[in-house]
Amino acid sequence: MLALRKWLFSGLLVIVPLFITLAVLKWIIDTLDQTLWVLPAVWQAWLHDNNVRGLGVLLTLAILLGVGAIASNFVGKRLLGWGDAVVRRIPVVRSIYSSVKQVSDTLFSENGNAFRTAVLVQWPREGVWTIAFVTGMPGSDVVEHLGGGDYLSVYVPTTPNPTGGYFVMLRRSDCIELRMSVDEALKYIVSMGVVVPGGPSSIANK
C-alpha cells in the first residue's frame, strides 16, 4: 500500500503540471484563433473544414509586429497621437481608456519600472509577512496627506492567483527588499510557498 501511494503521488506530480500547462496553452491558442475573423470568409471556411489550429497565434504575432512597426515611425506616432486625442474626448470611453493605457504603459514600456522589485511586507496585519512588488512612488499630493516621509506604492498579490490583489502605500522603511527575482517571487506566490527560491535546502539551512 505504501508503494502504491508513493506511485500515485509521483504520477500526480508528473501529470497535474503537464495537464494544466496543456490546458492553458489550449486556452491561449483557442483565444488567439478568434483573430482569424479578419481573414476572408473563404479562408476561414477552409481553415475550419481542415481543422487548422494555432494559426491565430501567428496572425496575432504578425498584427502586433505590424502595429508596432507603424507606431515606431514618425507618421505612425502622429496618427496614434491624433487617435488618442479623439478617444480622450469621448465622455465614458476616455475614463476607461486612460486608466487602461496608464497601466499598459507602465507594464509594457521599456522604461517602465513596474514589478521590478520584490519586497517583504507585513500584511494584512503586523507580525504577518507576505511578498509584494514595488510599482512606483505615490504622488506628492498623496504623500502630503500621509504626513510626508518616504513612501512606496506596493502591489500585494493574492495566491494562487496573483492577478488579484491590493494596492497599498507603505513607508520604505517597512519594505524589505528581497534578492530573489520577480519570476522567483511569482512562482513562490503561485505555488503557495511550495516552490521555494533556492530549493528545499534553503529551508534546511535555516
Side-chain angles (χ1 to χ4, degrees), residues 94-115:
R94 65 184 178 189
S95 59
I96 302 174
Y97 175 77
S98 299
S99 301
V100 174
K101 192 173 189 307
Q102 288 178 0
V103 174
S104 63
D105 288 345
T106 302
L107 293 178
F108 300 114
S109 173
E110 294 181 355
N111 299 323
N113 294 318
F115 297 95

Side-chain angles (χ1 to χ4, degrees), residues 9 24 26 50-52 60 62 92 95 100 118 133 148 164 171 196 199:
F9 281 104
V24 171
K26 182 180 182 300
N50 291 273
N51 197 27
V52 178
T60 301
V92 178
S95 59
V100 174
F133 300 99
R171 290 186 180 274
V196 181

Side-chain angles (χ1 to χ4, degrees), residues 15 21 24 26-27 30-31 42 52-53 61 84 104 108 112 121 128 134 139 145-146 157 175 178-179 189 201 206:
I15 296 298
T21 301
V24 171
K26 182 180 182 300
W27 176 80
D30 290 342
T31 301
V42 177
V52 178
R53 306 292 298 276
L61 182 60
D84 185 78
S104 63
F108 300 114
V121 299
V128 178
V134 176
H145 289 286
L146 294 174
C175 303
L178 300 174
R179 288 182 291 180
I189 293 169
S201 59
K206 292 184 180 180

Side-chain angles (χ1 to χ4, degrees), residues 175-189:
C175 303
I176 302 175
E177 184 174 347
L178 300 174
R179 288 182 291 180
M180 70 176 68
S181 66
V182 172
D183 288 339
E184 290 175 332
L186 282 173
K187 291 179 182 177
Y188 198 18
I189 293 169

